[in-house]
Amino acid sequence: MKLIYPFLLVLVCSPMLHAAPAMWDFEVTDEWTALIEARAPEKPQVAPKQKRTALVFSLMTGYKHWCTPHTTEMIRILGEKTGAYDVVISDDISYFEKDKIQQFDLIFLNNTCSDREKRHLFYDVLKDMDKAHALEQNLLDHVANGAGLVAIHGGIVMLNNSPAFSDMLGGSFDFHPMQQIVVGQLVDKEHPITSAFDGKPLMHYDEPYMFNNAYGNLDFHPLLEMEIDPDEKTFNDKRYQAVLKKGLPLYISWIKRHGKGRVFYCSPSHNAQSFEQPELLQFILNGIQYAAGDLNCDDKPLNR
């Protein structure tokens, strides 16, 4: 276990920063899995309307987030413990073929970061853009026809240069400053999804993601807005100042419609320790149930 943020040890004494212990990368262990199982909700917020089957897809051809296998376990545990959905865990892109993708009610994109050259994960595997675009279209069509899509953290980078993918998800990844304490303020404390936090903000240590492309249209219903420490030096760079000049809020989680389908994006978190918070686990499960079509709630986009 390699300690990479020892200075955070001094922060855990603060009641506001209970969610930001020292961050280190570690393998998925039985002990950690048991901890998540114990802290996961006992049951879903609403009963599923029907049996749900989900594909958990975690292939990384670009940057490899260390927390990806932990996120897979977290998604599996939420479905298995509560009975909200069943999971198929695979990094085989053939599941995006038209005849195979139809079997899934939900698609999870778990930190599916693509290579920087093309920013198209299917191309990274196939080296054929025509075939890659065909798989992309299958995903777009499947969600538009009524399936649910859940993207966690780097999942938004999967097809980052695709306008259609960006439009479906609500934005594209732009950049992020160094990791730091990120406060996720609740946009609406009474919303059925954010009710998981009982009116309190999400405190965690993370990469503060910034977004571009379709994000500027605000064609989504925001759930969490990032609050930044104005004295944080990493936010003094030109890219961040350009974001501020645009006057756009810094949302890190939202829901939206795509055709007949539903989309839930959750930027938290780069670090598996964040998932040790029962409130975040409940929030993610609530968002999953929205995407599945089981949890009905206000998803009116800001631009309307």
Side-chain angles (χ1 to χ4, degrees), residues 114-120 136 156-166 172-173 213:
S114 52
D115 184 76
R116 289 177 179 272
E117 181 183 358
K118 297 290 186 179
R119 283 299 194 198
H120 200 293
E136 174 187 350
I156 202 168
V157 190
M158 180 171 162
L159 308 171
N160 210 57
N161 288 341
S162 165
F165 182 76
S166 179
S172 301
F173 170 73
N213 296 334

Side-chain angles (χ1 to χ4, degrees), residues 180-196:
Q180 59 195 270
I181 295 167
V182 176
V183 181
Q185 294 290 354
L186 313 186
V187 176
D188 178 1
K189 295 180 181 180
E190 305 301 323
H191 196 277
I193 298 179
T194 58
S195 64

Side-chain angles (χ1 to χ4, degrees), residues 246-280:
K246 291 179 181 179
L248 295 177
L250 304 177
Y251 296 122
I252 54 175
S253 182
W254 57 78
I255 54 175
K256 71 183 298 290
R257 296 284 184 136
H258 178 69
K260 298 178 181 179
R262 300 181 177 193
V263 177
F264 169 54
Y265 176 68
C266 181
S267 179
S269 172
H270 178 92
N271 298 301
Q273 290 90 339
S274 298
F275 302 132
E276 296 171 14
Q277 299 186 65
E279 300 84 0
L280 180 57

Side-chain angles (χ1 to χ4, degrees), residues 282-297:
Q282 181 69 65
F283 172 75
I284 292 174
L285 179 60
N286 292 349
I288 292 170
Q289 285 210 283
Y290 163 80
D294 292 325
L295 179 59
N296 293 317
C297 58

